Amino acid sequence: MSDEHGTQDSAGPATGPRPEPIRFFGTTWVEHTDGYTLRRVAASAGSLAAAVASCLVLRFAYEGLAIADIGSFVTLLMVVMFAICSALAFRHTWEAFTKRPDPDRQASLRGLLAIGFVGSLLAYFFRSLTEAPGEKLHREEYETARKQHEKRTTRRTGNPSKKRRRP
């Protein structure tokens, strides 16, 4: 048996598809219960705080480059690199909330996403203002799986081989 959250008791196997948990939200996104709103607020605040702290760290790195006096070209190159990588990471993270990313592409972009971590944090912040990040994608997949399960488990009445033939 399972309850409304898809958790299974020891009485037997759960029937039907189970919702996929989302990081920091578990399966509370299904019914918006068990502190869902509080979790969204905390996720928003946490990702914004992490983005601000990350920008401060990048500021210290910039000041370190200025103190090292390595030249304005290298300093400009570093600033542009972080800006472009952050913009690309933002776009990639935002798109990952609406469709499943290709695992090969994800692996090839790992370095870019690591450099553009501020963009990923900001994407997470903005998405968590409206929903749990990835909730729309998970909800679509879960609803599709439930409909397919209902279609498979709906039983027909009667034996089709004993059906009357029309003259």
Side-chain angles (χ1 to χ4, degrees):
M1 299 199 140
S2 65
D3 65 5
E4 67 274 0
H5 302 296
T7 57
Q8 181 178 343
D9 344 268
S10 59
T15 58
R18 295 179 60 175
E20 185 178 345
I22 297 176
R23 181 183 300 159
F24 305 125
F25 293 90
T27 57
T28 61
W29 60 268
V30 177
E31 300 290 331
H32 293 188
T33 57
D34 297 332
Y36 170 81
T37 305
L38 183 62
R39 290 175 193 227
R40 264 196 33 220
V41 169
S44 294
S47 59
L48 184 61
V52 168
S54 300
C55 288
L56 288 174
V57 169
L58 290 177
R59 172 72 179 166
F60 292 140
Y62 175 79
E63 288 177 2
L65 291 175
I67 291 170
D69 197 27
I70 57 173
S72 59
F73 177 72
V74 175
T75 305
L76 178 67
L77 200 60
M78 292 295 290
V79 169
V80 169
M81 177 203 56
F82 273 106
I84 290 173
C85 288
S86 291
L88 291 173
F90 180 93
R91 186 178 62 96
H92 178 76
T93 304
W94 191 264
E95 288 175 356
F97 294 142
T98 56
K99 63 181 180 179
R100 295 274 179 188
D102 177 34
D104 294 332
R105 184 170 184 260
Q106 184 82 7
S108 67
L109 291 176
R110 189 170 292 138
L112 181 127
L113 294 173
I115 294 170
F117 60 96
V118 175
S120 293
L121 289 169
L122 289 175
Y124 200 86
F125 166 72
F126 286 119
R127 181 58 82 163
S128 61
L129 291 175
T130 57
E131 67 176 9
E135 178 181 343
K136 183 179 178 183
L137 172 66
H138 284 77
R139 188 170 301 284
E140 288 172 358
E141 291 174 349
Y142 179 59
E143 292 298 324
T144 302
R146 283 182 54 204
K147 286 177 184 174
Q148 288 174 350
H149 176 73
E150 286 175 15
K151 191 185 271 188
R152 283 192 312 264
T153 57
T154 303
R155 300 184 190 271
R156 290 186 279 181
T157 57
N159 186 346
S161 65
K162 292 183 180 180
K163 193 174 183 181
R164 286 189 193 172
R165 305 279 181 203
R166 292 186 183 177

